[in-house]
């Protein structure tokens, strides 16, 4: 009898922990966009999606729940898998604004599935699957990074620009300080790779970042062509 009670207690604890994980809170989102020219200009190279070469614009990488201490939840609900039928009305928009550049060439399903299962499931207390992808797409329209940079005379022309001028241009265009992530090409040039903006837990309001990701950029960074 004692062993049965012990087993029941363990099952109840596991159930409680799984519910706790599913409903865990987070403090804000990172909305992350990546420059395809920098993604492709590395040792790993890239493969265009089956729909063809994406437009020369920043593409969505993800909408990531985060904590103010710099940590983040991940893979919060193993029972919630990506279901393309739930986002069928968003598909053409996702193909355009959230393309996968990984190899081998794909239709984006693997990329979107990864983003939902790793990050989206940790925001289910705020956004269901359709709302999660729709919210990211709306943010893409609101946060027009390429326009903000071009308005400041910063073009994807393989030239080098100061990290400060890139950050200032994005802040001028969006009203908020971005996080900038760089990668290095085969010649070890520091390149503009990803831009992080912070959003409240509803996914609709831009905010100042409680914490910015650590930058590995040089003082001068290249904005590569695509």
């Amino acid at each position: 009898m004692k062993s049965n009670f012990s087993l029941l207690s363990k099952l109840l604890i596991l159930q409680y922990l799984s519910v706790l994980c599913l409903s865990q809170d987070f403090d804000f989102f990172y909305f992350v966009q990546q420059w395809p020219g920098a993604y492709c200009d590395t040792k790993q190279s890239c493969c265009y999606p089956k729909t063809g070469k994406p437009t020369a614009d920043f593409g969505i990488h993800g909408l990531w729940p985060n904590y103010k201490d710099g940590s983040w939840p991940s893979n919060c609900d193993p029972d919630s898998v990506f279901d393309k039928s739930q986002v069928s009305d968003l598909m053409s928009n996702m193909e355009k604004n959230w393309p996968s550049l990984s190899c081998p060439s794909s239709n984006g399903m693997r990329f979107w599935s990864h983003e939902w299962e790793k990050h989206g499931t940790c925001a289910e207390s705020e956004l269901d699957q359709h709302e999660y992808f729709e919210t990211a797409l709306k943010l893409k329209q609101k946060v027009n990074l390429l326009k903000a940079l071009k308005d400041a005379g910063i073009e994807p022309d393989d030239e080098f620009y100061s990290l400060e001028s890139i950050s200032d241009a994005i802040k001028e265009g969006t009203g908020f300080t971005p996080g900038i992530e760089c990668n290095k090409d085969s010649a070890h040039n520091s390149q503009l790779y990803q831009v992080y903006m912070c959003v409240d837990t509803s996914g609709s309001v831009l905010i100042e970042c409680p914490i910015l990701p650590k930058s590995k950029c040089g003082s001068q960074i290249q904005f590569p062509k695509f």
Side-chain angles (χ1 to χ4, degrees):
M1 183 70 180
K2 185 177 179 180
S3 62
N4 287 340
F5 178 77
S6 176
L7 179 61
L8 180 61
S9 298
K10 289 178 180 177
L11 288 172
L12 287 172
I13 290 170
L14 285 172
Q15 185 179 29
Y16 169 76
L17 289 174
S18 66
V19 170
L20 184 66
C21 180
L22 177 62
S23 62
Q24 65 182 304
D25 293 324
F26 58 99
D27 297 322
F28 67 97
F29 284 109
Y30 277 137
F31 176 57
V32 187
Q33 296 186 65
Q34 63 184 7
W35 179 248
Y39 183 100
C40 293
D41 200 9
T42 59
K43 290 179 181 178
Q44 69 183 20
S45 189
C46 69
C47 292
Y48 297 155
K50 292 182 177 178
T51 50
K53 182 180 179 179
T55 56
D57 193 6
F58 285 86
I60 299 170
H61 186 170
L63 184 62
W64 303 342
N66 257 76
Y67 299 124
K68 289 180 180 178
D69 65 2
S71 64
W72 59 89
S74 64
N75 301 99
C76 294
D77 184 4
D79 294 325
S80 181
V81 297
F82 177 70
D83 179 0
K84 66 178 182 180
S85 69
Q86 292 193 36
V87 293
S88 57
D89 61 314
L90 304 175
M91 200 61 70
S92 61
N93 198 346
M94 289 166 66
E95 289 173 347
K96 177 183 178 183
N97 292 297
W98 203 327
S100 171
L101 291 168
S102 64
C103 296
S105 178
S106 72
N107 57 9
M109 298 296 172
R110 185 175 65 247
F111 184 26
W112 303 326
S113 177
H114 168 80
E115 290 301 310
W116 169 252
E117 290 165 18
K118 181 176 181 179
H119 302 288
T121 58
C122 299
E124 284 183 296
S125 60
E126 297 287 339
L127 305 170
D128 63 26
Q129 191 165 148
H130 185 276
E131 290 168 340
Y132 175 77
F133 287 98
E134 184 178 44
T135 295
L137 291 166
K138 286 180 177 178
L139 286 169
K140 171 71 170 66
Q141 299 309 309
K142 181 183 289 188
V143 184
N144 191 332
L145 297 176
L146 191 58
K147 182 179 186 302
L149 291 168
K150 285 186 172 183
D151 285 349
I154 299 171
E155 303 269 354
D157 53 9
D158 282 344
E159 294 299 320
F160 287 80
Y161 300 90
S162 73
L163 176 61
E164 183 179 10
S165 67
I166 289 173
S167 181
D168 287 348
I170 294 172
K171 184 173 183 178
E172 177 68 24
T174 66
F176 296 93
T177 304
I180 308 291
E181 180 183 353
C182 296
N183 66 359
K184 289 188 176 181
D185 65 7
S186 56
H188 302 292
N189 293 314
S190 184
Q191 295 187 323
L192 176 60
Y193 173 43
Q194 296 198 130
V195 176
Y196 292 66
M197 304 299 297
C198 291
V199 189
D200 74 350
T201 55
S202 74
S204 58
V205 180
L206 290 170
I207 60 173
E208 282 295 341
C209 287
I211 184 169
L212 288 169
K214 291 180 180 178
S215 174
K216 295 181 179 178
C217 301
S219 58
Q220 296 284 320
I221 58 179
Q222 186 182 41
F223 195 3
K225 294 178 181 178
F226 180 64

